[in-house]
Amino acid sequence: MAGLRADARRSEAALVAAARKAVAEVGLDVSTNEIVKRAGVGPGTFYRRFPSRQALLETILLEVIGELEDKARAALEDPDPGRGFARLLRAFTLSQVENKGLSDALAEQGGSPEADKARDRLRDLIRRTTERAQRAGAVRPDLSWADVPFLAAAAAGMTQNCLDLHAGAMQRERVLAVLLAGTANSGPELPGEAAAFAK
């Protein structure tokens, strides 16, 4: 019985790992057959572990948000609030780069109450890290915590080619450095209003 449980755990881990890689490469439209093939298991194993493809995607989404939560907590606890804010923005950016297919799912409400609570926790960590850096004078006071996900999305969505120029190996880091410089406590007032929840 213990052997069966260990096999089941291995199968589930293989499915999650394969699905996560497939979603990052192909997107959320990746088929169950493609996931099963990459995991090296049969369709029956898939349906014994997950009631649906959506349930597997939700598992991956929760895993990604959980990893981001851990990084955001570490950023919040950094002794240097400005450095912590930079760590948060970098972690959020790289997560979106590595989990391209999940970035849309990360952005949308919906799914299980567990996923919605995880998003709430992540938003709270972003808010607290941003406000802590602002209190320390490291981040401009007119930057909203709600701007941070959009800054990360801008850096994550950076094209590799533009005007016949090919991005260098450190191009994303350069973009992040410019974005972080723009969040410093200086410069002209930001235009317009920060992002808000849809009514």
Side-chain angles (χ1 to χ4, degrees):
M1 201 66 171
L4 285 174
R5 284 197 295 272
D7 285 347
R9 284 195 300 274
R10 279 194 295 273
S11 295
E12 184 169 323
L15 282 163
V16 169
R20 188 164 171 176
K21 189 171 182 188
V23 167
E25 293 172 6
V26 180
L28 289 172
D29 293 331
V30 65
S31 69
T32 301
N33 285 342
E34 176 67 17
I35 294 169
V36 165
K37 182 178 172 186
R38 288 179 181 230
V41 300
T45 300
F46 177 92
Y47 288 108
R48 279 193 296 277
R49 305 312 310 153
F50 298 97
S52 66
R53 180 178 154 281
Q54 187 59 37
L56 175 57
L57 293 177
E58 178 106 338
T59 298
I60 299 168
L61 178 61
L62 287 169
E63 189 174 272
V64 170
I65 295 177
E67 290 168 2
L68 264 174
E69 281 186 77
D70 290 343
K71 289 173 182 171
R73 277 193 202 93
L76 182 61
E77 292 165 5
D78 192 304
D80 182 328
R83 185 176 59 200
F85 178 80
R87 285 175 65 180
L88 173 70
L89 183 59
R90 181 169 282 104
F92 207 154
T93 298
L94 295 180
S95 178
Q96 290 192 61
V97 171
E98 293 163 4
N99 301 285
K100 282 183 261 183
L102 288 168
S103 58
D104 288 340
L106 184 63
E108 296 172 7
Q109 280 299 101
S112 72
E114 190 179 359
D116 289 344
K117 285 177 186 173
R119 286 188 191 90
D120 286 344
R121 288 193 305 270
L122 182 56
R123 281 191 291 261
D124 184 58
L125 286 164
I126 294 168
R127 179 188 60 76
R128 290 165 61 197
T129 303
T130 303
E131 291 175 357
R132 177 174 175 254
Q134 287 171 319
R135 286 193 300 274
V139 169
R140 56 188 306 150
D142 58 346
L143 182 80
S144 167
W145 70 266
D147 290 318
V148 175
F150 291 95
L151 293 173
M158 184 199 82
T159 182
Q160 290 297 308
N161 295 286
C162 186
L163 295 176
D164 294 328
L165 299 168
H166 185 70
M170 295 295 288
Q171 190 67 54
R172 184 166 282 106
E173 287 296 322
R174 290 170 66 86
V175 169
L176 271 169
V178 172
L179 286 173
L180 283 165
T183 68
N185 196 0
S186 62
E189 187 175 343
L190 294 175
E193 297 178 355
F197 292 107
K199 293 179 181 175

